[in-house]
Amino acid sequence: MTHLLSIHCTLKPSCITKPYYQPYNRCSNPCPTSLLLCTSRSLSKNCISHRGKPLRRHTFYVNSVHLTQESQTQSLSGASQVSNESSKPKRVMVIGGDGYCGWATALHLSNKNYEVAIVDSFVRRLFDHQLGLDSLTPISSIHTRIRRWKSLTGKNIELYIGDICDFDFLSETFKSFEPDSVVHFGEQRSAPYSMIDRSRAVFTQKNNVLGTLNVLFAIKEFREECHLVKLGTMGEYGTPNIDIEEGYITITHNGRTDTLPYPKQASSFYHLSKVHDSNNIAFTCKAWGIRATDLNQGVVYGVRTDETEMHEELSNRFDYDGVFGTALNRFCVQAAVGHPLTVYGKGGQTRGYLDIRDTVQCVELAIANPASPGEFRVFNQFTEQFSVNDLARLVTNAGEKLGLDVRAISVPNPRVEAEEHYYNAKHTKLIELGLKPHLLSDSLLDSLLNFAIRFKDRVDTTQIMPTVSWKKISAKPKTVAA
Ligand code: NAD
Ligand code: USQ
């Protein structure tokens, strides 16, 4: 048995001994035309400065490498969405930009001519090491990803490596990049992970709630006008027996009427962390005049976007395991390897779902149409509702057409959740802003299944069954077999 590493550690870039890269155009010292390799702290101190303001020693400010020889600037399909009012492209900080939704979004925004910076601690890659998990798709390091993007498009993506719970790091990042918008994906996002044991529950809430609080303080201190686009979750609402509105509900009680935040009934320590975030954001919009959009996103499926398709080194991660894998993605991989589809309990659990290509579209729409100062705006970000049984049926039918032998089984539900319930959630605000949904069609399922089949030799079937029980969570650290 191998004990899991404690995750009380935050990734302190100052502890990392690896050399890092500094772009020639941001360096106060003369730099070579290709790349400047800073290997010592003293050198980094001198090198890292921006507009006369030195960055602190532990801020790892890494930019894509100057690749003049390799660069072949392409005119990509997505025309610039950046407003013509200003010739200066909008600067978007993508926190969590090395993750599943964040990587696809960073590339999409860069493709649309936004100036993009990724901020990430790589804690998601660390979770894989801790739990012995791996993405279905091979994924390149962030440095390789960014260099490849630059070589294909000529576009820079700036990179700040660090933990947003470290306010010094975040402050320097804000002062250096000066974002117009911050898209915040940078949280521990798995409900099962948050229910493994006490330390994971605590980590999830600390990481998510404090990280978001730091982002709010950084906006207040350094970029008051900056628009926060925060990834929340449909799971904040739970499964009430009435229609779910977009953020707010108008209630008449004892003859008086008010519009109030929609009631929240989250059902994991992860989902609860999002509720806490929403409350903190709503309060700071009111108190400090921050402008924010909370994107209550449903379950995301798919992996390919126009940009990640451009090169295998731009591939996105694809989780299928029992901790980080989400329903439809898991079912496609299960069908590809001949594993029964794992329907938890009765399978009537209904959620909102969306294609990852719509995630990137929604974020872009939110950025392009910002909230007003002091406004706390909530959009429900999904395109269709399905029950788990619906998904199992769809994957079974699509798999059979491809000659796969697919069957679904009912697995004892490791979660505490309603398995048969009413569910009708509004999702009109993003459509009104111009979202053109990619709905789950037979052809999309075919392509997802074919994608899973292509990588099926990489599947570790021992990671498929759920192992985390909502009821059995304890204070004792959980271990994993090596
Ligand atoms: P992910 O785990 O793939 O990516 C999150 C990224 O954030 C990772 O790269 C991680 O290293 C980084 N990160 C986490 N904590 C950080 C910190 N303190 N400082 C800096 N970086 C940090 O997750 P994802 O699937 O891309 O989800 C992104 C966001 O969208 C999350 O907030 C999640 O709650 C939300 N969301 C995801 C889904 C989904 O189906 N994937 C659905 C609804 C909402
Ligand atoms: N489920 C199964 N079988 C599986 C996997 C899941 O029946 O093999 C069921 C779950 O019990 C649940 C539903 O499918 O009822 C969705 O589970 P999921 O694992 O696909 O998604 P969830 O845990 O809710 O979390 C995911 C993301 C999270 C995001 C959330 C959006 O990991 O970051 O916030 O989707 S939502 O569900 O709308 O809250």
Side-chain angles (χ1 to χ4, degrees):
M1 293 288 254
T2 304
H3 282 271
L4 287 173
L5 294 173
S6 158
I7 43 170
H8 293 299
C9 61
T10 45
L11 290 182
K12 288 271 187 216
S14 53
C15 307
I16 301 170
T17 50
K18 272 191 175 173
Y20 67 96
Y21 305 99
Q22 168 72 14
Y24 76 102
N25 60 345
R26 283 289 183 114
C27 201
S28 54
N29 289 344
C31 300
T33 48
S34 57
L35 101 118
L36 176 65
L37 191 62
C38 296
T39 52
S40 78
R41 273 189 187 165
S42 55
L43 183 55
S44 74
K45 253 180 170 173
N46 295 335
C47 246
I48 299 178
S49 76
H50 178 58
R51 294 168 208 174
K53 294 171 259 176
L55 294 185
R56 291 185 190 199
R57 171 179 77 191
H58 64 267
T59 301
F60 268 66
Y61 168 43
V62 189
N63 201 336
S64 48
V65 181
H66 186 207
L67 287 165
T68 320
Q69 298 301 318
E70 262 189 273
S71 298
Q72 358 159 336
T73 309
Q74 292 180 352
S75 169
L76 296 167
S77 56
S80 167
Q81 296 289 309
V82 181
S83 161
N84 289 333
E85 293 160 29
S86 147
S87 54
K88 228 173 109 201
K90 291 259 183 298
R91 301 174 70 73
V92 185
M93 178 184 282
V94 182
I95 303 175
D98 186 49
Y100 173 57
C101 299
W103 175 238
T105 303
L107 291 187
H108 180 75
L109 295 175
S110 175
N111 197 10
K112 297 276 182 175
N113 293 333
Y114 288 91
E115 290 287 334
V116 174
I118 286 177
V119 178
D120 206 298
S121 62
F122 306 135
V123 71
R124 176 68 192 84
R125 294 185 187 238
L126 181 64
F127 299 148
D128 280 350
H129 293 311
Q130 287 179 338
L131 298 174
L133 309 174
D134 204 355
S135 159
L136 174 74
T137 43
I139 51 171
S140 304
S141 74
I142 190 70
H143 304 283
T144 303
R145 282 174 156 188
I146 287 177
R147 276 198 296 264
R148 178 54 62 195
W149 179 245
K150 167 90 176 178
S151 79
L152 290 170
T153 65
K155 293 173 192 290
N156 263 325
I157 292 180
E158 298 187 19
L159 176 62
Y160 297 85
I161 302 174
D163 183 343
I164 61 164
C165 294
D166 173 352
F167 191 66
D168 286 347
F169 162 74
L170 189 64
S171 307
E172 297 305 329
T173 305
F174 260 74
K175 286 190 267 180
S176 169
F177 183 67
E178 300 183 336
D180 300 308
S181 311
V182 172
V183 187
H184 180 16
F185 293 103
E187 300 204 330
Q188 190 303 95
R189 70 105 177 122
S190 154
Y193 187 92
S194 74
M195 301 300 292
I196 292 177
D197 56 20
R198 187 204 65 87
S199 76
R200 270 54 174 240
V202 170
F203 171 82
T204 300
Q205 295 215 346
K206 246 170 90 176
N207 185 64
N208 296 1
V209 178
L210 300 190
T212 298
L213 208 47
N214 278 347
V215 171
L216 293 166
F217 272 97
I219 292 174
K220 180 181 190 310
E221 290 292 308
F222 310 115
R223 296 293 288 172
E224 264 181 345
E225 284 303 304
C226 178
H227 175 210
L228 172 62
V229 177
K230 163 70 172 43
L231 271 293
T233 176
M234 285 301 293
E236 291 182 43
Y237 302 118
T239 52
N241 198 30
I242 55 171
D243 292 347
I244 295 174
E245 304 297 320
E246 295 199 66
Y248 299 91
I249 183 165
T250 300
I251 299 177
T252 300
H253 179 63
N254 292 344
R256 298 183 65 82
T257 300
D258 202 352
T259 297
L260 300 167
Y262 195 93
K264 303 292 171 72
Q265 302 185 76
S267 61
S268 74
F269 288 121
Y270 154 71
H271 287 98
L272 280 160
S273 74
K274 297 285 192 184
V275 176
H276 307 328
D277 284 344
S278 295
N279 286 334
N280 287 340
I281 301 168
F283 168 69
T284 57
C285 287
K286 216 182 274 176
W288 306 336
I290 282 179
R291 49 170 89 211
T293 304
D294 203 356
L295 296 174
N296 281 348
Q297 185 169 238
V299 189
V300 184
Y301 59 80
V303 63
R304 296 196 258 204
T305 59
D306 287 349
E307 292 81 15
T308 63
E309 278 297 272
M310 286 168 60
H311 194 280
E312 63 185 15
E313 285 177 354
L314 301 179
S315 280
N316 205 345
R317 63 176 309 120
F318 189 103
D319 299 310
Y320 64 88
D321 59 85
V323 177
F324 281 93
T326 49
L328 182 55
N329 284 352
R330 269 166 68 69
F331 285 0
C332 289
V333 171
Q334 291 168 0
V337 298
H339 191 288
L341 309 188
T342 53
V343 172
Y344 296 167
K346 293 184 183 152
Q349 303 93 311
T350 303
R351 303 285 184 270
Y353 287 80
L354 74 162
D355 188 306
I356 191 160
R357 290 172 296 177
D358 292 339
T359 294
V360 305
Q361 224 193 122
C362 290
V363 170
E364 190 197 352
L365 285 168
I367 293 172
N369 302 279
S372 306
E375 186 185 6
F376 177 60
R377 201 170 57 164
V378 183
F379 295 162
N380 291 347
Q381 180 168 313
F382 71 95
T383 58
E384 291 174 281
Q385 289 187 186
F386 298 105
S387 70
V388 176
N389 284 331
D390 291 336
L391 295 179
R393 214 171 298 118
L394 288 165
V395 172
T396 304
N397 293 342
E400 278 167 0
K401 281 191 212 142
L402 292 178
L404 298 171
D405 181 18
V406 189
R407 72 192 171 91
I409 52 164
S410 171
V411 172
N413 197 337
R415 307 184 183 202
V416 176
E417 61 185 357
E419 293 175 4
E420 286 172 315
H421 57 89
Y422 177 78
Y423 199 79
N424 184 32
K426 300 270 169 65
H427 55 111
T428 52
K429 291 189 182 170
L430 284 157
I431 301 278
E432 281 159 20
L433 285 181
L435 172 66
K436 302 269 178 294
H438 295 84
L439 300 180
L440 186 62
S441 60
D442 287 355
S443 61
L444 178 69
L445 267 177
D446 272 10
S447 102
L448 250 180
L449 280 166
N450 278 316
F451 190 84
I453 292 166
R454 183 170 143 214
F455 290 104
K456 71 177 191 171
D457 291 345
R458 287 177 52 86
V459 175
D460 175 356
T461 51
T462 65
Q463 299 291 355
I464 289 179
M465 290 303 278
T467 52
V468 180
S469 158
W470 265 224
K471 288 198 172 141
K472 292 191 187 141
I473 184 172
S474 82
K476 201 172 152 212
K478 202 159 172 196
T479 59
V480 67

